[in-house]
Amino acid sequence: MKDLAEAMRRKDDFFKYSFVLWPVNINNQHWAILVVEPGRQTIQYMESMGCTMPPAVDSIREFLDLQHGTPLTWTINRVENLPRQLDSTSCGVFACLYGVYKVFGCTEFDFQTTDMNRVRLWIAGHFLHYTTRTT
């Protein structure tokens, strides 16, 4: 995260990443995630309830153009056929899983709402594991 923050301060370095995961908060009520691929000039919107794309996506595109120094032609698409949440509390976990699947190169999203408690424990376990290793 520190490397990403530093790269974002230097406009040319940000575009060396193959992709960047960008969490998006929607109206302080819901989470989605963007997969930004600077080299391909694509932004993929991944969201678990079928909500419309928020204005923040355009703001992020504008930010990317500022980082680049000139306007680019971005392709922005909503990723379809994603697993959908069936409750009102799992959007952040779904967004995290979409990102994890992208990082590991998975093309099939094979999880559902009933998996979320187990996934929450898995995430917490990773945080605890790495926290105890670095302190």
Side-chain angles (χ1 to χ4, degrees):
M1 195 66 122
K2 188 177 179 182
D3 292 338
L4 176 59
E6 186 176 312
M8 290 175 79
R9 283 192 283 280
R10 296 186 313 257
K11 63 183 174 186
D12 59 334
D13 283 350
F14 179 78
F15 288 84
K16 292 179 183 175
Y17 290 96
S18 58
F19 66 89
V20 176
L21 302 175
W22 202 306
V24 177
N25 182 273
I26 304 167
N27 299 324
N28 290 326
Q29 297 178 5
H30 188 53
W31 286 99
I33 194 163
L34 300 179
V35 177
V36 179
E37 296 182 71
R40 295 179 54 208
Q41 296 176 17
T42 63
I43 300 173
Q44 296 176 330
Y45 175 68
M46 303 173 88
E47 185 273 327
S48 61
M49 291 185 75
C51 298
T52 58
M53 203 175 299
V57 176
D58 278 331
S59 299
I60 291 166
R61 182 196 46 78
E62 290 172 11
F63 170 80
L64 292 166
D65 285 346
L66 286 172
Q67 288 293 302
H68 186 262
T70 57
L72 297 170
T73 304
W74 292 92
T75 301
I76 302 173
N77 7 348
R78 173 188 194 84
V79 178
E80 301 295 337
N81 301 319
L82 292 171
R84 297 288 181 217
Q85 74 180 86
L86 302 175
D87 62 15
S88 61
T89 60
S90 297
C91 56
V93 182
F94 272 82
C96 288
L97 277 177
Y98 297 150
V100 167
Y101 274 55
K102 173 64 180 175
V103 166
F104 288 105
C106 301
T107 55
E108 281 190 45
F109 297 91
D110 59 354
F111 54 88
Q112 54 193 342
T113 299
T114 56
D115 298 321
M116 293 304 109
N117 285 336
R118 190 176 77 245
V119 173
R120 283 182 176 94
L121 291 172
W122 176 78
I123 291 170
H126 279 278
F127 280 128
L128 291 172
H129 174 75
Y130 287 105
T131 301
T132 56
R133 285 181 51 196
T134 59
T135 56

